[in-house]
Amino acid sequence: MFGSLKDKLRGVKDKLGLSIESAAEAAPEEPLPVEMEESPAPVPAEGPGEEAPAPEQKTAKKKSTLAERVRVLVTEREVMLDEKDVAEPLQDLEIVLLENDVALPVADAIVEHIRSDLVGRRRKIGASVDTLVMDTLKGALLNVLGEGFSLTGYIDSHERPVKVLFTGVNGTGKTTSIAKIASYLKKQGYSVVIGSGDTFRAGANEQMKTHADRVGVKVIRHQEGADPSAVLFDAVQYATAHNIDVVLADTAGRFHNRANLMNQLEKIRRVMKPDLVVYVDEAVAGNDAVIRAEEFNNAVGTDAVVLTKADMDPRGGAAISIAHTIGKPVMFLGVGQSYDDVVPFRPEDVVDELLREED
Ligand SMILES: Nc1nc2c(ncn2[C@@H]2O[C@H](COP(=O)(O)OP(=O)(O)OP(=O)(O)O)[C@@H](O)[C@H]2O)c(=O)[nH]1
Ligand SMILES: [Mg+2]
């Protein structure tokens, strides 16, 4: 998962570390006072060994900004970095993020977070710069990944049955994810019923039934072509009558710009009254997934996101960008073809995975 991005992040991490190291080494032993804008004219050099600065040095000084003139201070490995110490590695980081499908505003937010974390502030670097680099990268990634979303936490704090409606474009993994999440919830001790709300695509009912049988969960179905709101309403009725904790509702794949299917989704919402509307898309779609998630969120509203096929995604751009872009948390990652291949999206775990040194 995210192999290409992980590799590239290692390179950036090393370069940032080296830049900080060399800035720290270049700094004088004793702390120097920060040179200010209106500093008095330098006292003429005395003594034979000391010469006035060369003309080109003077010009360079005049051109430099205040931030650049904040020199690196090292006191017991405490370092104050300036802009130019981190400029190159941060530029590399921005390129790496964009190349790996991270949305531009999200890449900017990550880079800015690191810049403001490092530049112009005294930072203790301890025995090595690795910790500093790691902490700053972690902080920047966590900042865009948001809080995540615990479905079991939500179920525990809401009235049962909790009704979860799954939406999204064709073939992204809605039906499979519902089976995986049903299995996950069952293992956590919750009772589940599935509503087979894709009455549109031929064979969808059978597909849902096969998955549900395999994970041992009841499915409420109507015949093909039936009104999906009616099926899902029945699923909720069934759950209420049988004290079932969770209703997972499947729907047909649809595009946000297909008015008839979107109107149908609106009707499903009104009739079934879901507690959570979950948008499903595939991590491999990269930036397209981010754009579609935003469009769906604007059109029908979204409470949380499931990103499938993360196992096939070397880039990780959608996983990093989606929560920050649409302001809604990622809830699960699909990481393979088997029913156990679903993992709750925990930002700390994702960041650890991204910054892990070895595979
Ligand atoms: N590798 C991998 N494949 C997945 C994952 N999730 C789903 N798939 C595969 O993606 C394909 C489509 O999955 P479905 O669950 O049928 O997708 P859907 O969104 O319900 O499709 P429609 O009902 O046609 O809109 C299937 O072949 C799944 O096995 C995943 O996390 N990893
Ligand atoms: Mg489906």
Side-chain angles (χ1 to χ4, degrees):
M1 195 167 76
F2 313 149
S4 137
L5 178 58
K6 261 161 38 184
D7 276 356
K8 293 282 170 51
L9 281 178
R10 260 175 232 146
V12 169
K13 218 161 45 181
D14 291 347
K15 194 159 176 181
L16 191 55
L18 283 172
S19 299
I20 295 173
E21 233 10 305
S22 60
E25 274 161 20
E29 294 278 320
E30 293 295 317
L32 286 180
V34 173
E35 195 185 342
M36 297 306 293
E37 194 85 56
E38 275 93 31
S39 56
V43 180
E46 286 175 19
E50 294 181 50
E51 287 171 17
E56 59 272 23
Q57 274 177 319
K58 268 189 195 160
T59 331
K61 255 194 178 166
K62 251 187 203 152
K63 276 190 195 153
S64 62
T65 64
L66 180 62
E68 280 166 348
R69 265 185 277 131
V70 176
R71 296 284 302 145
V72 174
L73 300 183
V74 181
T75 321
E76 293 175 2
R77 308 288 285 168
E78 200 174 64
V79 62
M80 194 190 284
L81 298 162
D82 71 20
E83 184 69 39
K84 69 176 173 4
D85 295 320
V86 293
E88 205 179 301
L90 288 190
Q91 203 174 6
D92 288 1
L93 174 62
E94 176 113 24
I95 291 165
V96 162
L97 292 171
L98 295 176
E99 277 175 357
N100 284 281
D101 281 345
V102 174
L104 179 62
V106 180
D108 283 344
I110 292 171
V111 167
E112 276 319 307
H113 194 278
I114 297 174
R115 199 193 308 279
S116 69
D117 202 20
L118 291 179
V119 172
R121 288 174 58 189
R122 275 171 186 275
R123 299 302 308 255
K124 273 210 167 59
I125 58 174
S128 90
V129 295
D130 288 352
T131 324
L132 174 62
V133 170
M134 221 37 177
D135 287 352
T136 192
L137 279 169
K138 267 188 185 171
L141 288 167
L142 283 174
N143 177 50
V144 297
L145 286 180
E147 305 269 290
F149 186 99
S150 162
L151 180 57
T152 50
Y154 184 92
I155 296 166
D156 290 345
S157 56
H158 287 79
E159 202 180 311
R160 322 264 174 106
V162 166
K163 297 159 280 174
V164 190
L165 178 69
F166 291 79
T167 67
V169 295
N170 304 70
T172 50
K174 293 176 293 300
T175 305
T176 318
S177 296
I178 287 171
K180 289 175 176 177
I181 293 169
S183 172
Y184 165 84
L185 290 174
K186 243 187 96 183
K187 284 186 185 151
Q188 307 276 320
Y190 299 95
S191 53
V192 180
V193 66
I194 291 174
S196 183
D198 182 357
T199 56
F200 182 73
R201 183 169 60 77
N205 263 337
E206 278 315 304
Q207 185 199 5
M208 189 75 264
K209 174 88 169 86
T210 308
H211 282 311
D213 285 350
R214 288 192 193 142
V215 298
V217 168
K218 166 121 184 125
V219 194
I220 304 299
R221 300 185 289 167
H222 288 188
Q223 74 281 23
E224 198 183 307
D227 181 353
S229 327
V231 187
L232 299 180
F233 183 79
D234 279 2
V236 174
Q237 295 281 87
Y238 180 92
T240 309
H242 295 82
N243 286 322
I244 287 182
D245 298 322
V246 190
V247 179
L248 301 178
D250 197 12
T251 60
R254 69 197 69 221
F255 286 87
H256 73 283
N257 51 5
R258 294 272 181 81
N260 55 340
L261 281 171
M262 290 311 272
N263 290 340
Q264 190 188 57
L265 199 56
E266 232 354 272
K267 184 175 172 197
I268 293 172
R269 286 190 65 137
R270 278 200 316 273
V271 173
M272 184 208 167
K273 300 189 176 57
D275 298 295
L276 295 173
V277 177
V278 172
Y279 176 74
V280 182
D281 211 321
E282 44 192 26
V284 277
N287 229 341
D288 286 348
V290 179
I291 293 164
R292 292 194 295 237
E294 196 163 26
E295 287 166 346
F296 256 83
N297 185 35
N298 293 339
V300 283
T302 299
D303 298 301
V305 176
V306 171
L307 270 181
T308 62
K309 308 182 194 178
D311 52 306
M312 291 160 62
D313 176 26
R315 299 205 277 258
I320 292 178
S321 308
I322 230 162
H324 189 74
T325 305
I326 72 168
K328 302 293 162 63
V330 180
M331 182 164 82
F332 285 102
L333 284 181
V335 293
Q337 302 264 12
S338 89
Y339 294 119
D340 287 336
D341 288 332
V342 68
V343 288
F345 186 91
R346 296 194 184 97
E348 308 259 339
D349 295 350
V350 174
V351 171
D352 285 347
E353 171 71 17
L354 284 169
L355 298 177
R356 201 150 50 91
E357 281 299 331
E358 285 109 35
D359 282 316

